[in-house]
Amino acid sequence: MARKSIATLKAEMAALEAQISEAEERAAIKIGKLAAAEGLIDLNITDAEWRTLFKEFAGRFQKRASDKAQERSAGQTPSQAA
């Protein structure tokens, strides 16, 4: 395998960082549109309160994803675990 120069690696890293930034921007727009559609932009909620709510929301879904992964590793399907 040919070795890449540091400059090439840095250029590749910069391109990947740009892709990540673009993906984050698309996700933010999508979430914002969903929030607006549900009327959440009309609520008087501080940024700190939004962060707390989003952390709670993320934790709930991360736990669910973790539980599903544990079920799969134990050889159970979600319907068997219920």
Side-chain angles (χ1 to χ4, degrees):
M1 176 169 67
R3 292 191 162 217
K4 296 180 182 181
S5 71
I6 292 174
T8 300
L9 292 171
K10 285 182 178 183
E12 289 175 1
M13 190 166 62
L16 289 172
E17 287 172 348
Q19 289 177 16
I20 290 169
S21 180
E22 290 168 10
E24 289 173 339
E25 183 69 21
R26 284 191 305 272
I29 290 169
K30 179 182 177 181
I31 291 169
K33 286 181 178 181
L34 290 168
E38 295 303 320
L40 296 178
I41 60 174
D42 297 325
L43 300 176
N44 188 18
I45 299 176
T46 66
D47 286 355
E49 290 170 320
W50 277 119
R51 282 187 191 89
T52 299
L53 291 169
F54 281 127
K55 284 179 185 177
E56 291 171 4
F57 186 69
R60 188 171 93 195
F61 283 91
Q62 289 166 345
K63 181 181 180 334
R64 186 163 47 175
S66 174
D67 291 347
K68 286 182 182 181
Q70 288 176 353
E71 289 170 4
R72 281 192 299 272
S73 68
Q76 297 179 337
T77 64
S79 60
Q80 291 172 325

